[in-house]
Amino acid sequence: MKGIVLAGGNGSRLYPITQAVSKQLLPVYDKPMVYYPLSVLMLAGIRDILIISSPPDLPNFRKLLGDGSHLGLSFSYAEQPAPNGLAEAILIGADFIGDDPVALVLGDNIFYGQGFSRRLQEEVTTVTGCTLFGYPVNDPGRYGVGELDDAGRLVSIEEKPERPRSNKAITGLYFYDNSVVDIARSLEPSRRGELEITDVNRTYLELGTARLVDLGRGFAWLDTGTHDSLLDAAQFVQVLEHRTGVRIACIEEIALRMGFIDADQCLELGRGLATSGYGDYVMSIARQFAVSG
């Protein structure tokens, strides 16, 4: 499976901060926002990843992430000149996707929960059609909403409904089989001139091949699109990391534990960041891993 991180958009809800820098390059506590969705793809075992962003911001993503080889990954980059809808990422990445299935993750979403990596890897190996990830929220009218029947089957998808049929928000993580490219090409733009991801998901639903995985209790999903939610996310990460001693979305540690790099490579990455607490953490993990084998 290929992976796409959509890190475009103008981040207008975070103005004036994002008038000068991409939202996905802003810090969420101790690391850039883009590390969080990138870590999701890595935890799923995906190593071939396309980063999509606006032309002015792409050089900064390249500077931050490089070609991915230091993490045992392969990063490609593509431009989204204007924010023309989430589904446009599929068209922009069509050549990159080729004949493979694809995971699309939004660059401002944070996921955290025990067993998440195992669940992701299971879904990667079994995806047929479209797999969406639902999360219970108090204000479902702000999101795309998925409704399940008594047997757990997905029966409807609504975009920001006035009267939601459920409290299951559809998160910014989507697994698709390869037919998503043809589906995206067949879409008509919305009244706003955008290609809507909800229309992609509804097409799969009509074909009977869409399912919703309920992330449920004990899990956290955060959207960092506003000043308050960005601060909430940073505080969430800070508290968890201080209490547990484990850094969330540390891509160097994930690369090591997933077997993408070895302990010596991880140690060198930590040394390159050695003047920060983050770099000290990466080096300590590498040393622990080398001893434990």
Side-chain angles (χ1 to χ4, degrees), residues 47-121:
R47 303 177 69 171
D48 200 355
I49 298 170
L50 176 67
I51 313 293
I52 297 177
S53 190
S54 63
D57 293 318
L58 272 181
N60 290 326
F61 283 101
R62 291 180 186 273
K63 183 178 181 180
L64 175 67
L65 299 173
D67 65 2
S69 58
H70 60 295
L71 296 168
L73 307 175
S74 175
F75 291 143
S76 303
Y77 298 87
E79 296 181 356
Q80 186 183 37
N84 294 323
L86 305 185
E88 188 182 45
I90 302 299
L91 299 184
I92 293 171
D95 290 341
F96 166 79
I97 295 169
D99 296 326
D100 294 311
V102 64
L104 172 64
V105 62
L106 304 189
D108 62 356
N109 277 213
I110 296 175
F111 297 83
Y112 177 79
Q114 295 298 318
F116 190 41
S117 180
R118 173 179 47 78
R119 178 175 291 186
L120 288 172
Q121 291 171 38

Side-chain angles (χ1 to χ4, degrees), residues 146-184:
E147 178 192 7
L148 301 175
D149 65 14
D150 292 339
R153 291 185 294 263
L154 183 63
V155 294
S156 75
I157 298 173
E158 300 176 287
E159 183 63 25
K160 298 180 179 177
E162 292 185 8
R163 297 179 180 178
R165 298 179 183 177
S166 85
N167 69 340
K168 297 293 189 300
I170 296 174
T171 69
L173 175 63
Y174 317 89
F175 286 1
Y176 298 113
D177 65 13
N178 191 254
S179 61
V180 71
V181 176
D182 289 333
I183 290 173

